[in-house]
Amino acid sequence: MSLAVARKPLRADAARNVDKIITAARQCFREFGPDVPLQTIAMTAGVGPATLFRNFADKEELVLAALNRQLRLTVDPVIEGALADIDAAAGLFRVMESLMDASSADANLLGAVAGRRELLTGITGSLMESISVLLVRGQGQGSLRPDISMTDMFRLLAMLIGVVDTMEPGSDAWRRPLALVEDAIRTTRPARPLPPHVPVPAATTPAAPPLAALEDPELG
């Protein structure tokens, strides 16, 4: 999953600074929320503001770089395994599980770009392409409903990632709604109980699902 704007190769020292800034960004967003100042991120990374702005023009570019790295590290290996799996449906749900796990871990990063459709498209295109491949394979194998479209999958993912806004940071409360989605799109409901129910935190305020920012592969 590559960033929409390609980066030029960096010198070793510059690459180390970029790595430190991205690592600090994830830490700061987790600790302080989506509105954390860039100066705080630079201080945490141990670099000056000028170094940060030399590598990232604004907060959005930094957030996308951090999201891109985490998707590459945590979701891409799962996608590779899923595409190689003879059971396409099982592979599809492993990909969805890894995406939800990453979304929960970096909820504040997603919140920082929520609603910016054109910005997220560049780092999620290959994810949707892989999901499309797995969906078609699963339908051909008879394990996924034949009437499910990629527009349906896009909206289901948007709803699932919106679940992150209704749970405590780092929680795995998303497992129950993901299981419900699996029950809905498989041709045969899995013979297993639903994951435990997790109450919605009292202080939670509903927000727009971050995946609403993505490009619908069929609707354009």
Side-chain angles (χ1 to χ4, degrees):
M1 301 179 188
S2 59
L3 281 170
V5 179
R7 285 182 167 276
K8 296 179 180 179
L10 298 173
R11 302 189 317 271
D13 58 337
R16 285 192 294 270
N17 282 336
V18 166
D19 184 69
K20 288 192 296 184
I21 293 168
I22 290 176
T23 299
R26 292 190 68 231
Q27 176 186 337
C28 290
F29 275 103
R30 284 186 176 186
E31 292 183 5
F32 305 114
D35 297 322
V36 60
L38 289 177
Q39 289 81 356
T40 301
I41 295 173
M43 184 181 303
T44 303
V47 302
T51 299
L52 188 151
F53 285 109
R54 187 160 54 245
N55 288 284
F56 301 100
D58 51 33
K59 180 183 283 190
E60 290 174 349
E61 187 174 321
L62 174 55
V63 167
L64 287 176
L67 283 171
N68 184 67
R69 186 174 75 170
Q70 289 312 111
L71 290 175
R72 189 178 68 246
L73 291 175
T74 62
V75 179
D76 278 8
V78 179
I79 290 175
E80 291 178 10
L83 292 173
D85 194 333
I86 192 171
D87 186 339
L92 172 63
F93 290 110
R94 285 201 305 275
V95 171
M96 293 173 71
E97 181 176 304
S98 69
L99 178 61
M100 290 305 300
D101 195 32
S103 299
S104 176
D106 285 304
N108 285 334
L109 278 173
L110 283 170
V113 292
R116 295 170 175 83
R117 173 176 178 171
E118 70 282 359
L119 294 176
L120 285 177
T121 301
I123 64 171
T124 55
S126 63
L127 168 66
M128 300 308 293
E129 290 171 6
S130 299
I131 286 176
S132 177
V133 170
L134 293 168
L135 174 64
V136 171
R137 286 181 185 174
Q139 290 172 326
Q141 293 168 356
S143 55
L144 297 175
R145 289 178 51 159
D147 54 349
I148 297 293
S149 70
M150 271 305 294
T151 295
D152 295 323
M153 290 302 301
F154 168 82
R155 288 173 172 152
L156 288 171
L157 285 170
M159 288 188 293
L160 283 171
I161 291 186
V163 168
V164 172
D165 294 321
T166 70
M167 65 191 202
E168 297 289 350
S171 167
D172 65 350
W174 51 266
R175 292 188 181 278
R176 186 177 178 94
L178 177 58
L180 290 169
V181 167
E182 181 176 1
D183 289 353
I185 70 175
R186 277 190 179 272
T187 51
T188 303
R189 180 180 297 178
R192 47 102 175 102
L194 287 174
H197 170 73
V198 180
V200 175
T204 297
T205 301
L211 258 185
L214 301 187
E215 183 75 35
D216 186 324
E218 289 190 5
L219 299 181

